Amino acid sequence: MISLAVKYRPQVFADVVSQDSIKTILQNQIESGDFKNAYLFCGGAGTGKTTTARIVAKEMNNGKGTPIEIDGASNNGVDNIREMIEKSKSKALDCKYKVFIIDEVHMLSTGAFNALLKTLEEPPAGTIFILCTTDPQKIPNTILSRVQRFDFKRIPTQQIVERHKYIIECENTEIIIENGGSQDAEHDIEWAIHEGIPVIEYEEEALEYIAKLADGGMRDSITMLDKVLGYSRDITLENVITSLGGSDYNQYFALLHTIVDGNTVGALQLTTKAHTDGKDLKLYIRNFTNFILDVVKYSLTNDIAITALPSMYEPKLSNASKCGQETLLNILEYMNTLCQEIKWETNPKPLIEAEMILLCQD
């Protein structure tokens, strides 16, 4: 079964979400024939770098030929790059331009980068290099000076949500057609539900939460959506949290209030419950620290959009922020220190319990 991330991977510029200025520049270069011999696409995972590189290769050759893709992580030696350089010297047989896409290019060795320098400066006629990386600071300046660089930004939460809605609509259309309905999915959705056909239903805040968890990465968000659908076709916030193993925010709110109230017994009981439930206590504390950071951010801005929490928790966030910034910052400092202290501990529970006792007595 093909994954949704592969099935709905953009094939044309119009389908690439966000990155408007980059798309405009590249489209203008392709239309005018004034494109460059070497590009560098930088940005976080899942922001569209490799996808855009493939589209560029396709558009340059009017849909003919196939770009040569190289994984820089597993082909990072001098010999690998020299082999690629030799291949670049021969003309493409089935298209005008021979396009090389080097993914994770920052993983190349120093020797490999040095071998690539001359070719990037004076590439063979009809050869285009597109380098993709999530870590541009690891690329030598000598390489950076020979490429045209594009920085892909993280995709806004709402644009990810809209893409999810589009995917769900397409999936529902397929389901309805397979079960004898028409191509008008919106018209037939009630009919399908009445007939017991397993169409996909969703809550807006559930899609928003998936998008927030992805932190601006479209591929990660669609992969998570796929996982949720494997659990249930009813995409509710509860089902998302259950299927993705998300944070138990209700427990975090409870833990915060026990600390603020100086309720040592309550804090120890909640810690013990997390341990008894089989949770990784290191991850539990790290997630609680991130939660406290979100409470602090909300207390400063009154904007839930800059936090990782679903919108349904805004009333609780508003109440938690009343604990006072000084108190919240003090807890945040304690938690940051605790995360470092338990990082290499094989049994972090005693240290965590000790910190909870000290926090409640502070």
Side-chain angles (χ1 to χ4, degrees):
M1 188 83 178
I2 188 171
S3 69
L4 293 181
V6 174
K7 185 176 181 180
Y8 292 97
R9 190 166 196 164
Q11 301 299 314
V12 295
F13 280 117
D15 291 337
V16 176
V17 178
S18 194
Q19 323 305 346
D20 293 337
S21 60
I22 293 175
K23 291 191 292 184
T24 298
I25 294 170
L26 292 173
Q27 284 178 298
N28 288 342
Q29 288 184 0
I30 291 170
E31 288 173 7
S32 65
D34 185 29
F35 38 81
K36 312 307 174 187
N37 291 106
Y39 295 91
L40 176 65
F41 291 172
C42 310
T47 52
K49 303 181 298 299
T50 305
T51 293
T52 301
R54 291 176 180 176
I55 294 172
V56 168
K58 181 180 177 181
E59 294 291 323
M60 283 178 174
N61 286 311
N62 297 315
K64 298 177 181 178
T66 304
I68 301 169
E69 295 192 33
I70 298 168
D71 176 20
S74 54
N75 298 277
N76 57 5
V78 176
D79 291 340
N80 300 119
I81 294 304
R82 284 175 177 166
E83 182 181 348
M84 182 196 70
I85 292 171
E86 285 302 312
K87 289 181 180 178
S88 71
K89 294 177 181 178
S90 60
K91 289 195 66 175
L93 299 176
D94 54 354
C95 54
K96 186 174 182 180
Y97 298 99
K98 182 176 281 189
V99 182
F100 291 87
I101 300 174
I102 308 178
D103 219 349
E104 302 300 332
V105 71
H106 63 273
M107 298 293 287
L108 295 185
S109 67
T110 301
F113 275 127
N114 289 336
L116 190 57
L117 283 177
K118 188 65 175 177
T119 302
L120 287 181
E121 188 170 12
E122 299 177 5
T127 302
I128 310 293
F129 293 96
I130 305 178
L131 317 180
C132 301
T133 180
T134 56
D135 215 350
Q137 64 268 24
K138 291 184 179 179
I139 298 177
N141 289 331
T142 48
I143 294 289
L144 295 176
S145 65
R146 289 166 167 80
V147 298
Q148 187 170 88
R149 174 173 172 169
F150 291 93
D151 291 289
F152 286 65
K153 60 185 179 182
R154 294 191 180 277
I155 301 169
T157 297
Q158 193 54 43
Q159 290 190 25
I160 293 178
V161 170
E162 293 304 317
R163 185 65 176 177
H164 285 180
K165 289 179 179 178
Y166 167 77
I167 290 172
I168 291 169
E169 181 182 334
C170 291
E171 289 296 294
N172 278 339
T173 299
E174 286 187 14
I175 293 168
I176 289 170
I177 291 174
E178 287 172 1
N179 287 274
S182 69
Q183 293 190 25
D184 187 358
E186 186 175 350
H187 180 268
D188 278 0
I189 196 80
E190 291 184 8
W191 164 82
I193 294 172
H194 181 267
E195 293 295 317
I197 297 170
V199 292
I200 302 169
E201 298 180 83
Y202 66 86
E203 295 175 351
E204 183 89 17
E205 64 182 1
L207 296 184
E208 180 184 307
Y209 184 51
I210 295 173
K212 281 188 173 184
L213 289 177
D215 193 25
M218 182 64 77
R219 182 181 61 246
D220 287 348
S221 74
I222 297 176
T223 300
M224 284 189 275
L225 176 64
D226 212 351
K227 185 177 180 181
V228 174
L229 289 174
Y231 176 76
S232 173
R233 288 183 179 270
D234 186 15
I235 307 176
T236 63
L237 185 58
E238 182 181 354
N239 285 339
V240 169
I241 292 174
T242 300
S243 59
L244 298 180
S247 299
D248 187 347
Y249 290 116
N250 288 320
Q251 192 173 55
Y252 290 157
F253 278 113
L255 181 57
L256 170 61
H257 287 297
T258 60
I259 293 171
V260 172
D261 295 340
N263 182 356
T264 307
V265 174
L268 291 175
Q269 286 175 338
L270 286 170
T271 303
T272 299
K273 184 180 185 304
H275 181 65
T276 305
D277 290 344
K279 293 181 179 177
D280 180 340
L281 286 183
K282 292 181 184 180
L283 180 60
Y284 177 77
I285 291 300
R286 186 159 60 248
N287 287 342
F288 180 64
T289 304
N290 291 336
F291 163 78
I292 296 297
L293 176 60
D294 278 334
V295 176
V296 171
K297 289 194 292 187
Y298 183 82
S299 72
L300 292 169
T301 65
N302 288 319
D303 183 7
I304 196 170
I306 69 169
T307 74
L309 275 69
S311 57
M312 67 175 287
Y313 287 108
E314 185 156 19
K316 287 190 173 185
L317 259 180
S318 179
N319 184 50
S321 65
K322 293 176 183 177
C323 295
Q325 287 183 19
E326 185 177 348
T327 299
L328 291 170
L329 289 171
N330 184 49
I331 295 172
L332 181 61
E333 186 176 359
Y334 265 97
M335 288 298 106
N336 277 328
T337 302
L338 181 58
C339 283
Q340 293 302 314
E341 288 177 350
I342 65 175
K343 189 172 183 180
W344 307 111
E345 285 291 326
T346 54
N347 180 22
K349 189 170 183 284
L351 275 175
I352 293 171
E353 289 176 330
E355 197 69 32
M356 290 300 167
I357 293 171
L358 291 172
L359 259 176
C360 289
Q361 300 301 316
D362 190 17

